[in-house]
Amino acid sequence: MAENARSDDPGPRLPAVAWAVSEHPVAYPDAVAAMEARVAAIADGRAGELVWLLEHPPLYTAGTSARLEDVQPGARFPVHKTGRGGQLTYHGPGQRVVYAMLDLRRRGGDVRAFVTALEGWIIDTLAAFAIHGETRPDRVGVWVRRPERGAGREDKIAAIGIRLRRWISYHGLSINLEPNLAHFDGIVPCGIRGHGVTSLADLGHVVSMAELDMALAAAFERRFGARMQSAPPS
């Protein structure tokens, strides 16, 4: 996929996207309920687009393609079945979760281009910290090469999993800032064996969550258009 592909040409006529940050961990079921309510409101014209940045307590989520045999024996956190695309992943403290509720009816209606734009958003964000993220046609998410760990070794630093309802996106992406990487051992992340997971901290980058959020905001505006600060959904 081309890193510079965009899901749309926002132009001056699209209203600024609401941008909300939750300061405390949000329970996963509460987040899903809030997203579903907002998606319905966007689809009906009662609310505008929203990007919501948050963290979750430690948990695993199983997307629509998940195989529950990929939950390892002795996994210590709850598994939540969810309607997003993809397989199993981990969420927890030190990981920035970004839920993007965007109206694809106004952004070109091209799902593949939209996913490519999400990948590019992550890659641009990592580049702000001199990290070279890459995508792979046979593996979802964003990856970094780890030649010091063996020939051909690549570790996943960010995950993507979205769902569309009435052409409004929800769920989104997650970037590993400094989560406990051992917590990924309870699953086969995204069903992929032979590669690992990493984080900005694991790569030697000392970055605060606020700094990561600033990089996410700048990269978002370049790809999707203007944003405005907003309160998190209730």
Side-chain angles (χ1 to χ4, degrees):
M1 293 184 179
E3 292 182 3
N4 293 324
R6 296 176 57 138
S7 65
D8 60 275
D9 181 8
R13 291 177 293 178
L14 278 180
V17 177
W19 185 272
V21 181
S22 289
E23 299 297 335
H24 303 288
V26 178
Y28 189 75
D30 294 344
V32 172
M35 280 193 288
E36 290 179 341
R38 183 65 175 238
V39 165
I42 296 170
D44 291 339
R46 295 181 285 109
E49 297 175 306
L50 171 67
V51 172
W52 183 16
L53 283 64
L54 66 151
E55 294 175 88
H56 286 305
L59 59 96
Y60 302 117
T61 64
T64 55
S65 301
R67 299 174 301 181
L68 292 184
E69 60 265 31
D70 284 342
V71 179
Q72 301 298 295
R76 54 190 289 197
F77 303 120
V79 177
H80 293 264
K81 291 185 178 180
T82 184
R84 64 159 174 80
Q87 300 190 38
L88 282 157
T89 195
Y90 165 78
H91 293 312
Q95 180 191 72
R96 177 50 92 206
V97 175
V98 183
Y99 289 139
M101 287 151 272
L102 300 177
D103 189 344
L104 269 64
R105 299 171 301 185
R106 309 175 71 180
R107 295 180 173 275
D110 187 329
V111 178
R112 181 179 293 274
F114 178 64
V115 172
T116 299
L118 293 178
E119 293 170 336
W121 179 17
I122 296 169
I123 289 168
D124 291 350
T125 299
L126 295 174
F129 306 105
I131 296 172
H132 181 65
E134 301 179 56
T135 59
R136 295 289 177 262
D138 59 337
R139 286 184 259 130
V140 297
V142 175
W143 300 78
V144 294
R145 302 188 189 202
R146 305 299 301 273
E148 74 279 9
R149 295 191 174 182
R153 173 65 181 263
E154 297 179 339
D155 287 350
K156 191 172 189 176
I157 194 168
I160 295 175
I162 65 166
R163 184 174 183 177
L164 297 182
R165 179 172 293 173
R166 298 169 63 186
W167 285 97
I168 313 301
S169 70
Y170 63 119
H171 297 280
L173 57 95
S174 59
I175 300 177
N176 296 331
L177 178 64
E178 52 176 353
N180 185 338
L181 295 179
H183 290 176
F184 284 89
D185 293 343
I187 57 172
V188 179
C190 297
I192 297 170
R193 292 175 168 85
H195 297 284
V197 290
T198 190
S199 65
L200 276 77
D202 183 51
L203 294 171
H205 296 264
V206 180
V207 177
S208 69
M209 191 67 80
E211 290 170 326
L212 178 59
D213 289 352
M214 290 176 61
L216 278 162
F220 178 87
E221 290 180 344
R222 291 194 296 270
R223 287 188 176 266
F224 296 97
R227 63 186 183 90
M228 60 180 180
Q229 292 300 129
S230 177
S234 57

